[in-house]
Amino acid sequence: MSEQQEDTVLLEEDAIEAMQKNKVEAKSQTNQRKSEFLLHKTPYLIFGLALALLFAYLLFFQ
């Protein structure tokens, strides 16, 4: 019975380690997606902001 309990504990520890590893990997993938999004979309965001500022200037200061 004791050996069976030890096996169960070892399996639970392995499962906990696997969950922690999956959590770290998921966070890493999320950070990578965020950085890729910012890298590829930043020029468009800057261009859109410049256009918005130009239209605001033309509407309110002319």
Side-chain angles (χ1 to χ4, degrees), residues 34-48:
K34 284 181 185 176
S35 64
E36 287 177 0
F37 173 79
L38 289 176
L39 179 66
H40 295 294
K41 300 298 182 188
T42 299
Y44 299 111
L45 294 172
I46 292 172
F47 182 71

Side-chain angles (χ1 to χ4, degrees), residues 44-56:
Y44 299 111
L45 294 172
I46 292 172
F47 182 71
L49 180 60
L51 280 179
L53 290 173
L54 176 64
F55 287 131

Side-chain angles (χ1 to χ4, degrees), residues 1-61:
M1 192 68 173
S2 175
E3 186 176 321
Q4 207 172 22
Q5 289 176 342
E6 288 177 13
D7 290 343
T8 303
V9 170
L10 289 175
L11 286 173
E12 288 175 355
E13 288 175 356
D14 289 343
I16 290 171
E17 287 177 12
M19 288 189 305
Q20 289 172 344
K21 202 179 283 187
N22 287 341
K23 186 177 180 180
V24 169
E25 288 175 5
K27 188 172 184 179
S28 174
Q29 288 176 352
T30 301
N31 289 341
Q32 183 179 5
R33 278 185 252 143
K34 284 181 185 176
S35 64
E36 287 177 0
F37 173 79
L38 289 176
L39 179 66
H40 295 294
K41 300 298 182 188
T42 299
Y44 299 111
L45 294 172
I46 292 172
F47 182 71
L49 180 60
L51 280 179
L53 290 173
L54 176 64
F55 287 131
Y57 174 77
L58 292 175
L59 284 174
F60 295 111
F61 296 109

